[in-house]
Amino acid sequence: MSAGDPPAPLPGARLLFSLDPAVSYLNHGSFGAVPIGVQRVQQRLRDEIEANPHKFHTQGMLDRVIHTRRHIAAFLGADPDGSALVPNTTSAISLVLQSVRLGPTDEVLLTDHGYGSVGLATRRQCRRVGATARTVALPLGASDTEVISRVRSALRPGKTKLLIIDQIASSTAAIFPVREIAAAAREHEIPILVDAAHVPGMLPVDVSAIGADFWVGNLHKWAFAPRGTALLAVAPAWRRRMEPLVVSWEQEQGFPLSVEYQGTLDYTPWLAAPTGLFTLRTLGWEEVRRHNAALVAYGQRVVGAALGLTPADLPQPATPETAMRVLPLPAGLATTGPEAIALRTLISDKLATETAVNAWGGRGLLRLSAQIYNRPEEYDRLAERLPPLLAGLQR
């Protein structure tokens, strides 16, 4: 296979999913796609609940949750006794912001690559207590050295009470050196929260080795779990201070059970998640990662060329293993959030293709994902049909 060729499809991979064959689903990064086998396991769990709801919730359910948490934590290299299953990264961010207990003179430091809801949650918590949310700009394509330098310079010892940074940024697909950034924050005793929403299943990770105070990743994006499955890992110094957003019957047990147990919450996504990891391992995780990374690189290349972009115009990730890449859209398109949503919807409706479109830094970015159910011809088709669509918007 030459550098410009797409990877060979994994045999039978498309049959594992129930996606509409009439739609090119190039947006795995937003909501994932659950394999049929995992769907069936979750349905069997739902059937078990409805056969005897009282028995399910009162006889051994918590033990099953703990077992699942240990399985997932082992996959991610996290301490199972210092981790909690949570519905998603967004809920974990709010939990951490509440537990850090900001004061009126404190600030939270974000980057301009951060996920939108993370910024909303941070600013709301800051408004409640009179704290400040501040953003450091990190150029797209900046080297690890420059990123570390910019973040280090932005820290204000004694004032910065929390640093929030992505491991893989959703809007830009940038990968940041979180281990080195955590070390820099630790020099000033500033806690760091790593938003790793896209990491589980996409990149190999050893959470404990990162050294973050808080790390959270979704399993329902790249690890084939049902939606509503994420893991929050918390450093030992913070575990006694973690306060759940909703108090329920395991409150006195402390973290993690006080966070995990929420009464009649639907626990089936968590309990089915190990089947997603089993699916990933059965397929061969290294092979899945290789395929996805090569395919999205091909997609970025062919769509970028169709839009008149040179290789130098295409942002490259810090590691080639990523399964998401972005392309700058023509100037003037999707420069605001509402415009980005409108263009994403237009591409969906007119081209029967699901992508992610984000406004970032005054420019629209088209984000492509690749998963084992995708085929090179889907990116070829987008490359052929997208330029005329965009040209019509620029008239």
Side-chain angles (χ1 to χ4, degrees):
M1 184 174 73
S2 72
D5 290 335
L10 299 186
R14 296 193 79 165
L15 300 177
L16 298 176
F17 298 86
S18 53
L19 292 163
D20 184 350
V23 175
S24 292
Y25 199 77
L26 308 182
N27 190 22
H28 188 89
S30 285
F31 300 103
V34 184
I36 294 170
V38 181
Q39 294 178 42
R40 289 174 176 167
V41 168
Q42 186 179 15
Q43 186 57 51
R44 285 198 294 271
L45 287 163
R46 292 192 182 108
D47 293 341
E48 179 186 347
I49 294 171
E50 298 312 323
N52 192 331
H54 185 271
K55 182 177 181 179
F56 178 88
H57 283 279
T58 62
Q59 296 185 28
M61 189 273 291
L62 275 180
D63 290 337
R64 294 166 79 172
V65 168
I66 292 169
H67 176 77
T68 297
R69 182 216 309 151
R70 291 185 176 279
H71 187 97
I72 292 173
F75 173 72
L76 297 172
D79 178 1
D81 296 322
S83 302
L85 292 167
V86 291
N88 51 41
T89 298
T90 300
S91 62
I93 298 287
S94 288
L95 190 154
V96 171
L97 286 167
Q98 171 180 278
S99 300
V100 167
R101 298 180 185 176
L102 299 169
T105 62
D106 296 336
E107 72 170 22
V108 178
L109 183 63
L110 308 159
T111 82
D112 58 348
H113 292 252
Y115 193 59
S117 66
V118 174
L120 291 172
T122 301
R123 289 189 289 273
R124 185 187 73 165
Q125 186 65 18
C126 286
R127 284 196 303 270
R128 285 177 168 176
V129 300
T132 303
R134 189 164 57 89
T135 301
V136 56
L138 303 175
L140 189 58
S143 67
D144 286 356
T145 300
E146 183 178 0
V147 167
I148 296 166
S149 176
R150 282 176 175 257
V151 172
R152 186 192 296 272
S153 297
L155 297 173
R156 296 177 180 175
K159 188 171 181 63
T160 306
K161 295 301 181 182
L162 182 66
L163 166 63
I164 303 177
I165 191 161
D166 296 85
Q167 192 164 352
I168 303 176
S170 179
S171 296
T172 62
I175 300 177
F176 295 123
V178 291
R179 184 172 181 173
E180 292 80 2
I181 292 171
R186 201 159 49 243
E187 291 174 6
H188 301 292
E189 299 183 344
I190 295 172
I192 178 174
L193 165 58
V194 175
D195 179 348
H198 289 275
V199 170
M202 187 197 294
L203 298 180
V205 62
D206 183 347
V207 171
S208 296
I210 291 173
D213 298 88
F214 313 97
W215 182 100
V216 59
N218 289 327
L219 277 293
H220 55 250
K221 289 183 181 286
W222 301 94
F224 295 152
R227 278 168 285 281
T229 307
L231 189 82
L232 169 65
V234 177
W238 287 97
R239 292 171 190 173
R240 289 184 177 272
R241 292 185 258 183
M242 299 304 293
E243 291 291 340
L245 298 175
V246 177
V247 174
S248 194
W249 287 103
E250 297 298 320
Q251 175 68 13
E252 299 305 315
Q253 296 297 322
F255 184 84
L257 280 178
S258 61
V259 168
E260 291 174 328
Y261 185 73
Q262 296 292 317
T264 53
L265 181 76
D266 182 5
Y267 300 96
T268 63
W270 299 354
L271 299 182
T275 305
L277 296 181
F278 176 78
T279 303
L280 193 59
R281 290 189 177 106
T282 300
L283 289 165
W285 188 27
E286 292 289 340
E287 183 67 9
V288 168
R289 288 168 46 213
R290 182 203 63 78
H291 170 275
N292 293 347
L295 185 56
V296 79
Y298 172 81
Q300 184 193 45
R301 224 167 22 245
V302 297
V303 178
L307 294 176
L309 300 171
T310 69
D313 297 324
L314 302 176
Q316 300 299 307
T319 171
E321 295 176 309
T322 182
M324 299 191 304
R325 296 205 182 193
V326 297
L327 305 93
L329 290 167
L333 292 181
T335 59
T336 67
E339 290 176 356
I341 293 172
L343 179 55
R344 180 192 69 202
T345 303
L346 187 66
I347 292 171
S348 175
D349 293 343
K350 298 296 185 182
L351 306 185
T353 301
E354 298 296 344
T355 63
V357 179
N358 297 293
W360 186 85
R363 187 78 182 262
L365 296 178
L366 176 73
R367 192 191 74 194
L368 300 176
S369 298
Q371 188 48 273
I372 56 174
Y373 50 74
N374 291 127
R375 293 291 182 269
E377 53 265 28
E378 294 178 291
Y379 303 90
D380 295 337
R381 194 158 51 241
L382 180 63
E384 178 184 351
R385 301 174 66 193
L386 182 61
L389 181 70
L390 299 183
L393 298 176
Q394 293 177 291
R395 291 184 185 134

